[in-house]
Amino acid sequence: MTTVKTLNTFPELGLIPQLLARLSELEYLQPTPIQAHVIPSILEGRDLIAGANTGSGKTAAFALPILQQLDADTKAQSKNGNYVSRLILVPTRELAKQVADSIKSYAVHFNGAYKTVSVFGGVSTNKQMLALRGGTDILVATPGRLLDLISSNAIKLDMVKTLVLDEADRMLSLGFTDELAALLKLMPTKKQTLLFSATFPEAVTTLTTSLLNNPIEVQLQSADESTLVQRVFMANKGEKTALLAYLIQQHKWRKALIFVNAKRHCDHLAQKLAKRGITAEVFHGDKGQGARNRVLDAFKSGEIEVLIATDIAARGLDIEKLPVVINFDLPRSPADYMHRIGRSGRAGEVGLAISMIDQEDFHHFKVIEKKNKFSLEREEVEGFELHEPFNESKVDKPMAKPAGTGKKKRKKQSQINADIWLNRG
Ligand code: AMP
């Protein structure tokens, strides 16, 4: 894969005036690296595999050429009543709505010529069925709900000309493999396929080999140091919350997204921060759609200083210019670490990714560093000095057990990592 750094101008990418006018209204001064690299290839009709995080500008990277292609071919295409012309599959309902909103915004100068609909689970199907009536030019969907709608004959996929798999790694890790396979069978083989993924685990690689035809491959640096600063703070056991509150207040962080690993930790941490004078809200799957939207709006407007979320709930949240992402609990997998920090330093903004580690996180953070090929200096904060230095042997003991073959050893090691993780307070 190539590493991309080139920046061009939007007119140089071959975009049409309706789109250029909108980009200048949105004050997108220049394409982000992913946009500069993929837009011309998508316009040429090539398949694509792109390694890009949320925040890289990937939505516009596929949405702009898709709108341009629609504009070029819409008159020529004969359509049946429940057609879909361009299909974008996403892992979560938040992402479905955000992608559809972005597309509608990019399309304003086409004067409503192209219908964009988003469908996702967790809400009634009736409104969505109604919205799909008469066909849809661009459909943004989560896989499960799309299958439901197909089985009720609300939509057919046999006219799909472009398929986008957005956040493919997350889609597969959320268990949508079977749904995806079922959906692919319902689409024409001849179509353009664009796959975006932050990471490339085996499941994604397998999918790309079977699905893509001579694709262009683009890999962006996911945590480019010029836009993202990563820091690690050490805390004594039981002092993480106090240290977090101190850091937030000391640095006057606003719009900080804090990650924890369990829904119940969200509420717990929010209460503890509230006691220390910090307005924090939680964002997790137990909240209804309306409540989630309200929290998100309040966070975006700055009314809420701090949002506490689990990985699953936060996935796909589009929060512009997020200045700080904090790993209060470390993510279980090194790939999730990259997903989380990818929410900061977006589209050229400078962002900050903080990890808070205590003795129990010590080894796990090293694994995260090793897998993601970076190494960070551990910082101590005045007033929160460690009572004793971190001691790797405390957590390493179970891993010293003899294991069999190299393969078995790796499996055992990951299992032990998971156990250590699950046993955390
Ligand atoms: P995405 O990675 O698609 O979630 O986009 C991240 C954010 O960057 C969104 O809020 C976009 O509105 C914004 N954005 C995308 N492309 C550009 C650009 N070329 N210039 C400025 N902002 C952009």
Side-chain angles (χ1 to χ4, degrees):
M1 289 202 179
T2 38
T3 300
V4 184
K5 279 191 177 145
T6 3
L7 284 173
N8 296 304
T9 62
F10 280 114
E12 277 171 344
L13 300 182
L15 292 171
I16 53 178
Q18 295 94 316
L19 294 170
L20 293 176
R22 184 60 184 154
L23 291 170
S24 90
E25 282 164 10
L26 291 171
E27 294 180 355
Y28 287 10
L29 302 179
Q30 58 181 21
T32 65
I34 185 89
Q35 292 163 358
H37 208 77
V38 309
I39 289 174
S41 312
I42 301 178
L43 286 173
E44 274 173 28
R46 296 285 304 265
D47 278 5
L48 170 81
I49 309 175
N53 269 322
T54 308
S56 57
K58 66 184 167 61
T59 313
F62 63 77
L64 297 170
I66 281 181
L67 282 165
Q68 183 153 333
Q69 285 168 332
L70 260 180
D71 194 57
D73 73 9
T74 197
K75 289 151 207 125
Q77 195 178 13
S78 70
K79 298 164 179 174
N80 57 14
N82 49 6
Y83 74 96
V84 178
S85 175
R86 267 73 186 178
L87 175 64
I88 298 156
L89 292 175
V90 295
T92 64
R93 49 187 168 180
E94 278 78 24
L95 191 58
K97 287 179 62 194
Q98 284 156 14
V99 169
D101 286 348
S102 299
I103 295 173
K104 286 177 194 165
S105 162
Y106 298 139
V108 292
H109 292 302
F110 294 110
N111 303 322
Y114 310 118
K115 182 168 148 193
T116 302
V117 175
S118 61
V119 298
F120 41 82
V123 292
S124 126
T125 47
N126 290 351
K127 263 172 104 178
Q128 296 178 351
M129 288 173 85
L130 224 80
L132 292 171
R133 237 183 232 173
T136 302
D137 297 300
I138 304 179
L139 177 63
V140 189
T142 54
R145 173 55 58 97
L146 179 57
L147 276 176
D148 293 346
L149 290 162
I150 291 168
S151 60
S152 344
N153 283 325
I155 202 90
K156 275 180 89 175
L157 302 185
D158 58 350
M159 304 271 290
V160 169
K161 292 186 91 175
T162 310
L163 167 68
V164 179
L165 295 170
D166 194 12
E167 306 203 352
D169 51 351
R170 184 51 60 153
M171 200 135 51
L172 296 178
S173 76
L174 285 176
F176 283 129
T177 314
D178 293 346
E179 283 89 346
L180 209 54
L183 288 168
L184 289 169
K185 280 193 196 137
L186 302 173
M187 292 175 220
T189 341
K190 191 173 169 292
K191 61 182 174 302
Q192 185 178 19
T193 305
L194 314 171
L195 182 142
F196 291 82
S197 198
T199 58
F200 287 85
E202 211 179 314
V204 176
T205 317
T206 313
L207 181 72
T208 55
T209 340
S210 62
L211 194 62
L212 298 165
N213 176 22
N214 187 23
I216 302 272
E217 299 185 10
V218 181
Q219 178 63 57
L220 289 165
Q221 286 166 330
S222 37
D224 189 325
E225 281 171 31
S226 63
T227 56
L228 185 68
V229 179
Q230 299 180 65
R231 296 178 73 177
V232 189
F233 291 102
M234 298 187 290
N236 290 305
K237 194 170 166 51
E239 289 185 5
K240 263 195 188 181
T241 312
L243 176 58
L244 173 66
Y246 173 82
L247 289 171
I248 292 174
Q249 283 163 338
Q250 177 79 6
H251 295 275
K252 299 192 172 47
W253 286 332
R254 293 291 174 269
K255 290 200 189 173
L257 178 62
I258 304 182
F259 282 98
V260 296
N261 286 336
K263 279 185 257 182
R264 62 176 196 288
H265 293 179
C266 291
D267 297 311
H268 202 61
L269 184 59
Q271 283 158 13
K272 288 206 227 161
L273 289 177
K275 281 190 191 148
R276 292 167 192 271
I278 295 166
T279 25
E281 259 292 355
V282 301
F283 193 83
H284 59 58
D286 283 354
K287 284 187 180 284
Q289 188 62 47
R292 285 157 71 124
N293 288 346
R294 277 195 297 281
V295 168
L296 194 56
D297 288 345
F299 184 60
K300 282 183 176 177
S301 71
E303 210 177 298
I304 294 169
E305 297 172 82
V306 161
L307 191 62
I308 305 171
T310 56
D311 285 286
I312 303 240
R315 189 69 197 161
L317 276 182
D318 177 33
I319 302 159
E320 237 172 301
K321 297 176 186 143
L322 199 61
V324 194
V325 167
I326 301 174
N327 294 310
F328 184 78
D329 289 336
L330 289 183
R332 247 171 101 167
S333 81
D336 279 343
Y337 178 86
M338 299 312 282
H339 279 299
R340 287 182 180 186
I341 69 171
R343 308 195 152 279
S344 191
R346 312 177 71 165
E349 294 295 314
V350 176
L352 186 59
I354 302 291
S355 294
M356 304 190 56
I357 60 170
D358 62 17
Q359 167 67 56
E360 285 174 68
D361 303 313
F362 181 64
H363 177 78
H364 188 60
F365 196 76
K366 275 193 158 178
V367 174
I368 290 175
E369 286 183 317
K370 193 162 171 233
K371 291 271 178 200
N372 290 319
K373 298 189 176 60
F374 62 77
S375 168
L376 303 173
E377 186 195 331
R378 274 44 168 175
E379 298 181 52
E380 252 178 293
V381 178
E382 212 181 310
F384 293 88
E385 289 84 359
L386 293 188
H387 303 324
E388 53 175 339
F390 287 162
N391 176 356
E392 184 150 17
S393 65
K394 277 189 195 168
V395 283
D396 270 351
K397 262 185 195 150
M399 289 176 203
K401 280 183 189 168
T405 63
K407 202 171 177 193
K408 263 192 184 157
K409 192 174 168 189
R410 273 200 297 282
K411 197 171 172 204
K412 194 160 181 77
Q413 181 120 339
S414 63
Q415 186 55 52
I416 292 166
N417 286 345
D419 290 346
I420 291 171
W421 187 252
L422 292 169
N423 286 339
R424 302 183 68 243

